Amino acid sequence: MFGNLFEEDYSSVSSSQYGRGKKLKTKGLELPAPREFTNLSGIRNQGGTCYLSSLLQTLHFTPEFREALFSLGPEELGSLEDKDKPDAKVRIIPLELQRLFAQLLLLDQEAASTTDLTDSFGWTNDEEMRQHDVQELNRILFSALETSLVGTSGHDLIHRLYHGTIVNQIVCKECKNVSERLEDFLDLTVAVKNVSGLEDALWNMYVEEEIFDYDNLYHCGTCDRLVKAAKSAKLRKLPPFLTISLLRFNFDFVKCERYKDTSCYTFPLRINLKPFCEQSELDDMEYMYDLFSVIIHKGGCYGGHYHVYIKDVDHLGNWQCQEEINDTDVNLKAPQNEEKADDPLVVLKTILLQEEANQVPVNHLGQKLLKKTGISWNKKYRKQHGPLRKFLQLHPQIFLLSTDESTVSLLRNHLTQAPTDLQNREQILYTLASEPPGLNDNTSCSHWFDINDSKVHPIKEKDITQQFQGKESAYMLFYRKATLQRPTEARANPRYRVPCHLLKEMDAANILLQMRRAECESANSTFELHLHLGPHYRFFNGALHPAVSQTESMWDLIFDKRKTVGDLRQSIFQLLEFWEGDMVLSVAKRMPAGLHVYHNLDGDELTLCEAEIADGEDIFVWNGVEVGGVQIQTGFDCEPLLLHILHLELSGEGSKCEQLVESPHVFPANAEVGMVLTALGTPVGVILMNSVESADGECWTAIPKEDMKKTFREQGLKNGSLILVQDSGSDDSSLLPKQGRRTNSMNELNWLQVKNFCQSESEEKQVQIAVTMHTVVFDIRIKAIKELKLMKELAENSCLRPIDRHGKLLCPVPDTSTLEEAEVKMGSSMALCLGKAPTSSQLFLFFALGTDIHPGAEMEVIVEEALSVRDCLKIMLEKSGQQGEKWHLRKMDWCYEAGEPLCEEDATLKELMICSGDTLLLTEGKLPPPGHLKIPIWWYQPAGLTGHCESRDHLNCAFSQGSSWGAAPTQGAPGPEPAEVSLLYLGDMEISEEATLVELKSQAMALPSVSKLDVQSTALLRVWTVESKRPSRLLRTNWRQLKEYRLGRRVELCLELLQKEEDLGPQDVLLRTQLRIPGERAYSLATDLVWDTTKGWTAASLRQRVADFYSLPVEKIEIAKYFPEKFEWLPISSWNQQVAKRKKKKNQDTLQGGPYYLKDGDTLGIKNLLFDDSEDFSTIRDDIGKENQKRLALEKKKNREVHRAQSSDVFSNAGMPTRPRGPEASLSIHVASFR
């Protein structure tokens, strides 16, 4: 239906298959975990097959379908052992389906594998990773089964169980002639939009008539003229099993985008189809259908995940949880409080009232709830009320959150409670704590399970109603005829009607599993885990990096793999005594770009083996939301890819030098390929990929313009991939020079170029050595010495070093490695240099002075990896000729910027994970002591803002004559401040992380430059963080400690002077508002406006606040947010918000989210519609700014064209062949012909 619209949600996917560089397609786990207490088996996700798993579980729990398939023996279907024989007609799909159903019934494993089944479909790894629509799969799978069963006794299996008929009738109002047309169906597709539920939709389809009259008459064949008529449809034949597909995905023709309809859509557990049928004379029970499966889609139209609610008709599984003990008396302790115990408002208020300070960190509130009641928020309330933090935000009339939402308390009017009321609340907690995790329902009621890929959990029948609406809602419904009865011997008997050969196969497999599990128990049960501590990491350059050092950020832990995830969590809690708040354990992996988090370790009852934790696994310990104030995107989808981008760049060294420049960039794997052009600042261009077609060949492939919207992963790009970017106007196609010729592919390259860098006279300056990827480096070096006719003594004192595209010598390559192991590419250049390559215990390091590194300025040194940072610093200082003790080392990151300092001077280079080839920077200045911050302080004065100092000249006079503002004076009509904000550097300040914000202000006032301004009080200073030379985040609440703001070691702050004191609350937002001058493209001076967002971040709330502030009618104003970097205004209208409410969740109806992203310090333009009703918000300055941006873009393009003309030796004039875009990948199952 929608092709590969739906991308898999990998939150529950195993790390053994994702993110660890292993082959995706596997035959199963080394040792499958046994079934859980439900005694039901799930299905392992192959990467994007949750839709397949949900449908297969539904068919498996349709006993009539399962048993009809089991009734077909090998004499009709053939045998899987003969499937590779050329003349054998083996019906592989039904055989693999039989085997899968037998495994789900009898094999003692937590989850079955569908690898063999998808192989029988003819699917590849790519197909298994691509998500599809389950409704589309239902039709295609049934078609494949019908084709596979042709000529067998089961040829009518699908038709017999799922086929129904609709009769469409048109009745002439004149002659009463009836025109009929029959329509077959395997599933009914019903509308969701503007319909309240299933019965309402069926009524519209099969009861209401469409009348043809007036301008829409019907031509009757009997009357032979246009007449009035009535059109209707009825169900003529009902199948035993009725499948209903809900049309939740629609297209908005106004916005030209797809959307998912998440409105409430009810459906009954039992439905009477009699009103919708043509014949209604039968008994009512013949029209009754019972719901037995609900396939649920979670997410939107561009991403999501499927799972299924299934009714266990044959009672094959254990419906009651393990925790549900026979002692039911515990449920009767406080029946009068059960209703209140289900109210999270009452429970949370009770917990807060019991706190001495009536204030609790939000991260601790969930733990206190678990401790006092024995039930976590996620298990008890999350499905109905959402995440805990979001629940607190939605009840501002009761709970008061701090500015950064780190702590919560009760509002004053809720603090006073009568003793009896408090006693009742304590009784509620007692009732809640004594309540088992799953209340014992009547054993005679229906047994429902939630099957989510590998996991199977019992649910109650009432839980189905939670899937009526929202982003996680019902997508397909399956009903069975109420008159269908199951035989008594099938009840709780998984072996019922399973063929004998499958029974024997499953029994043998279970015996083998038991033996292997016994061997596993007796084997070594401990392994090593690498714990990465979240508070010691920072997120930058697209991945997580240690804030201080690898030694401090990562701990090694030896642990028993037979223990549970809960045991691991408890051990880490005891190990990290300093930890505060919630602790989330996530599987991570060290990527070339940095550390990346994949999925959380959920299910504390699972053993580490069941959780698929491997030896040497990287575990990230954090709060599950953010690191260093930055929200972290997790999962396989957004895995950071480090790509090497080749692009033309101007060079002053002349055209003889190589002009291609290689620069590394990090992109999320799910980002669009077009982001490459954005990263290079290139508006348009052609992107070429360097792909491997054979074992020893490569080729460049141009990405069509229409494929720019595809993701990096869809294009097959991975870490280390090479991308070439050239101007779109170029028709050149040559890539690399070779012996004076130009080559359009890499297939010709089977050599290395070795240059003489030994400073020894030789007739030859360079030679080409014929090699393969398995050639040993030592052999290449000896052969190069001979062909260069150099002294034989160099064999003992020389090494080979790769030369990058900039001409820089890289780290020497060990003699014992092959080219493939050393990752040396064919056709590249290497230098024969004096000196031996470092040994296995040594490191070859580059180092340079300062942070502004120029090519060729690096020095080289070989040191032992066991050397301490302090000793390494001394060696580098001595070699560079520097003296003094006020120096420290920083590691240069992949984007050639100074990274975090190496703070642990006594740690070894190996402990800090310094590797050969790394570049260390000798930076002047002593590091602050532990627990202290060294913060650059700036002065910030917004241009033309009322309520501040009267003039900038007054401020300039307060500083020394040599000082100047960071931005040039603005010209043109008055308007918002320019993109370059005026910041004046005041000096550096060293302060403890334990200090409060008011202490920081006091210490900043003592700076010489600030003291000249005669600031009267710290209350007259605002403090902002500085990012990209602009104020970013407003720091409020004077009593908070600096460490609570999570500023980081690289933070910069700026001070803003006020005329009067202010006290901003946690829900207050500070905005700069400017009133547009009627008749002019200009604005008045900006004014600070404080907006209380307690009632929500809605456009209506903001409009009302602005109208009150300017004393204007709310319907006579228009508001727009200014984006200074684009010189653009984006109007904020209530209409846009109302549209969003219909198509998105309520929590997305906020100005905090896209496209506005409103925050402190943003500029708003206000237009009075009484005097100015135009739609334009722009100013003359905006026009000038946009023209300048266009001019700079054209100049950059022109420079690239000139540079391309000079680099004619790199690209030929032949046209670049472009690969035509293939059709969108559709779902298909390949079936052999059996007719």
Side-chain angles (χ1 to χ4, degrees), residues 462-490:
K462 64 180 182 181
D463 292 335
I464 299 174
T465 60
Q466 297 174 5
Q467 307 303 332
F468 285 168
Q469 61 186 347
K471 279 203 169 181
E472 184 176 6
S473 50
Y475 190 55
M476 284 189 79
L477 308 176
F478 296 83
Y479 286 87
R480 57 184 288 126
K481 235 177 185 179
T483 55
L484 291 175
Q485 298 296 324
R486 297 291 297 150
T488 307
E489 55 269 24

Side-chain angles (χ1 to χ4, degrees), residues 555-573:
W555 293 4
D556 292 333
L557 176 66
I558 305 297
F559 202 74
D560 190 340
K561 60 186 176 185
R562 293 173 297 181
K563 291 188 176 181
T564 65
V565 174
D567 296 332
L568 175 63
R569 194 187 312 277
Q570 185 64 32
S571 298
I572 297 176
F573 256 123

